[in-house]
């Protein structure tokens, strides 16, 4: 008899008693926070402050609380929803840029320590996070799921950088730069797009990169499996050539010579020939594969040198985390240049070897 009693379920919750949270938006509101959640509620109808909708459709609930801890607004929000919030299925955390300029360390700390949250939850920034949560995409029940797909690192999306709660927390504690995708509502207010990245340091925004600059930094910071490279036909200027990046690898070897910071190393890129319409704008133009590789190498090298110099000059930040390379590989040199490093990093000399390995794609060679 005792065996039967012990084997029963005594602390379960019915699915219809839960509210499944798909996305959370957080922004600065006066001296506190404004929080919005997108959810699938298995109830019909909606509670106070909740957008009405049909059963099993996504709903957005909003709460404003002037309190310095994010925990209080979340607790207050729970009184406005039907069912017990279930956070383990969150697809994305959207943080307002206004809040990020003020600081997000407390927000990240809360979501990192909450047992219902996941460290791998993607994080994005937006000028209007609450409004973004309300943008309905065609054939998409959840905005949060659409955003998660939009920032995925795949050949189809062409994205090169994404981040999550765990990565941001680690960057804050190690005093490194982290890159957060920016999501923007387009002028028609019915579509959204990725609009470059924001640079986060010590939990605050310290600069931004456009989409092209983000791609170049991604190629140099870590191995990537996606991206694209496009250029006009080098000789005629008529037509264009594109390649789909399938792999990039880099090895940075910074050094100091005559008081100047030199960013050395190499960048190797491998990709498919995606489009070739040189020669009177038609696909009949002819060239050798070796020549194309040289041309792609030159255009990528020019991008690396120009974009990297511009980024360092404009932001004044160590976007490639060169400090960690010095600390690991050249500790004596680091101790020597440490006092002047912040000034050195504003105007580095770029000396990176670039090479492109081009692979034909399709039925024609």
């Amino acid at each position: 008899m005792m065996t039967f009693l012990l084997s029963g379920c005594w602390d379960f919750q019915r699915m219809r008693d839960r509210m499944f949270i798909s996305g959370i938006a957080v922004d600065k509101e006066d001296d506190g926070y404004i929080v919005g959640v997108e959810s699938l509620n298995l109830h019909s109808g909606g509670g106070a402050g909740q957008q009405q909708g049909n059963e099993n459709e996504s709903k957005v609930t909003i709460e404003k609380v002037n309190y310095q801890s994010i925990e209080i607004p979340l607790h207050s929000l729970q009184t406005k929803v039907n069912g017990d919030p279930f956070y383990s299925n969150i697809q994305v955390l959207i943080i307002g840029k206004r809040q990020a300029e003020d600081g997000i360390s407390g927000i990240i700390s809360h979501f990192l320590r909450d047992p219902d949250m996941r460290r791998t939850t993607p994080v994005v920034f937006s000028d209007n996070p609450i409004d973004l949560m309300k943008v309905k995409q065609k054939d998409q029940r959840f905005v949060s799921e659409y955003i998660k797909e939009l920032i995925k690192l795949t050949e189809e999306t062409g994205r090169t950088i994404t981040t999550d709660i765990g990565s941001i927390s680690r960057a804050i504690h190690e005093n490194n730069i982290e890159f957060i995708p920016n999501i923007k509502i387009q002028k028609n207010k019915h579509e959204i797009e990725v609009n470059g990245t924001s640079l986060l340091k010590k939990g605050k925004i310290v600069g931004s990169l456009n989409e092209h600059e983000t791609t170049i930094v991604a190629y140099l910071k870590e191995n990537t499996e996606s991206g694209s490279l496009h250029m006009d036909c080098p000789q005629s200027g008529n037509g264009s050539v594109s390649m789909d990046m399938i792999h990039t690898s880099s090895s940075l070897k910074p050094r100091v010579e005559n008081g100047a910071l030199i960013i050395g190393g190499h960048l190797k890129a491998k990709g498919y020939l995606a489009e070739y319409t040189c020669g009177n704008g038609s696909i009949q133009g002819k060239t050798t594969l070796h020549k194309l590789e040289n041309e792609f190498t030159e255009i990528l090298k020019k991008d690396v040198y120009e974009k990297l110099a511009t980024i360092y000059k404009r932001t004044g930040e160590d976007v490639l985390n060169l400090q960690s390379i010095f600390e690991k590989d050249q500790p004596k040199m680091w101790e020597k240049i440490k006092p002047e490093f912040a000034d050195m990093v504003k105007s580095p000399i770029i000396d990176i070897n670039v090479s492109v390995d081009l692979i034909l794609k399709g039925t024609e060679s």
Side-chain angles (χ1 to χ4, degrees):
M1 188 69 174
M2 183 65 68
T3 302
F4 287 110
L5 291 173
L6 293 176
S7 63
C9 295
W10 55 274
D11 63 346
F12 76 96
Q13 283 187 285
R14 299 181 185 277
M15 287 184 64
R16 293 188 64 85
D17 295 333
R18 304 301 299 266
M19 169 169 277
F20 293 89
I21 307 298
S22 179
I24 298 181
V26 181
D27 203 4
K28 186 178 177 63
E29 176 71 16
D30 298 327
D31 295 327
Y33 295 96
I34 177 170
V35 178
V37 297
E38 182 183 33
S39 62
L40 171 64
N41 193 333
L42 298 180
H43 299 271
S44 58
Q50 198 169 15
Q51 292 185 354
Q52 300 295 324
N54 296 326
E55 185 175 1
N56 295 350
E57 286 189 354
S58 65
K59 302 173 183 178
V60 177
T61 309
I62 300 168
E63 177 70 353
K64 300 179 182 180
V65 173
N66 286 335
Y67 199 86
Q68 294 302 311
S69 170
I70 188 65
E71 187 174 9
I72 303 305
L74 286 173
H75 285 329
S76 179
L77 183 142
Q78 290 181 18
T79 65
K80 292 187 174 183
V81 300
N82 291 321
D84 186 18
F86 182 71
Y87 290 102
S88 296
N89 195 44
I90 291 178
Q91 303 298 303
V92 66
L93 170 60
I94 309 169
I95 301 179
K97 284 189 176 180
R98 183 185 174 196
Q99 178 61 59
E101 290 170 351
D102 194 51
I104 67 169
S105 295
I107 296 173
I108 295 299
S109 177
H110 172 82
F111 286 116
L112 186 70
R113 288 168 171 77
D114 193 308
D116 288 335
M117 306 294 178
R118 292 178 292 112
R119 293 176 61 92
T120 55
T121 300
V123 179
V124 299
F125 286 164
S126 175
D127 288 327
N128 309 102
I130 305 299
D131 292 339
L132 180 64
M133 188 72 77
K134 300 176 184 177
V135 176
K136 281 290 184 182
Q137 298 292 311
K138 186 178 180 181
D139 300 326
Q140 290 284 343
R141 292 170 62 192
F142 291 90
V143 176
S144 49
E145 287 187 350
Y146 180 74
I147 294 174
K148 182 180 179 180
E149 292 298 316
L150 193 65
I151 62 174
K152 272 188 175 180
L153 309 183
T154 67
E155 184 179 341
E156 287 73 25
T157 63
R159 304 297 173 215
T160 51
I161 283 184
T162 188
T163 191
D164 54 39
I165 290 174
S167 297
I168 293 174
S169 176
R170 186 166 56 252
I172 290 174
H173 286 90
E174 294 177 355
N175 197 26
N176 288 332
I177 295 287
E178 187 68 6
F179 299 81
I180 319 294
N182 294 323
I183 305 296
K184 182 180 180 181
I185 303 175
Q186 295 189 15
K187 291 183 179 179
N188 61 18
K189 297 183 180 181
H190 298 295
E191 296 179 0
I192 58 181
E193 63 180 353
V194 178
N195 187 35
T197 53
S198 288
L199 308 182
L200 192 76
K201 185 176 182 181
K202 296 181 179 179
K204 295 184 179 182
I205 289 180
V206 294
S208 63
L209 305 181
N210 61 36
E211 196 74 7
H212 198 166
E213 292 172 335
T214 299
T215 299
I216 295 299
V217 170
Y219 290 164
L220 293 167
K221 276 179 62 68
E222 55 197 45
N223 294 341
T224 61
E225 308 297 330
S226 62
S228 61
L229 183 62
H230 178 87
M231 68 178 184
D232 293 331
C233 296
Q235 295 180 352
S236 65
N238 221 347
S240 62
V241 185
S242 300
M243 70 178 288
D244 289 330
M245 213 72 75
I246 59 175
H247 181 73
T248 66
S249 61
S250 66
S251 177
L252 297 178
K253 297 180 179 179
R255 61 187 190 274
V256 174
E257 295 180 3
N258 299 321
L261 174 63
I262 301 175
I263 305 178
H266 70 258
L267 169 64
K268 296 180 179 180
K270 185 177 183 179
Y272 292 122
L273 177 60
E275 177 186 282
Y276 180 67
T277 59
C278 297
N280 298 322
S282 70
I283 203 168
Q284 301 302 320
K286 297 180 180 180
T287 189
T288 64
L289 187 62
H290 178 67
K291 185 177 180 181
L292 268 181
E293 287 178 335
N294 289 338
E295 290 170 351
F296 271 114
T297 295
E298 287 303 313
I299 196 69
L300 181 56
K301 182 176 181 180
K302 181 181 179 182
D303 261 359
V304 168
Y305 279 52
E306 292 182 353
K307 294 293 187 297
L308 204 54
T310 299
I311 291 168
Y312 270 105
K313 182 178 180 180
R314 186 181 73 241
T315 67
E317 297 292 343
D318 184 14
V319 295
L320 296 178
N321 290 335
L322 301 176
Q323 174 181 333
S324 62
I325 299 177
F326 275 116
E327 289 176 332
K328 178 182 178 181
D329 299 336
Q330 306 178 58
K332 291 183 179 180
M333 175 60 73
W334 171 245
E335 289 302 319
K336 182 178 179 181
I337 66 173
K338 187 176 180 179
E340 293 82 28
F341 185 73
D343 291 326
M344 286 182 177
V345 85
K346 296 176 182 178
S347 55
I349 298 172
I350 315 300
D351 184 30
I352 298 174
N353 181 49
V354 178
S355 63
V356 172
D357 181 12
L358 195 59
I359 300 174
L360 292 174
K361 182 180 181 182
T363 59
E364 297 185 11
S365 59

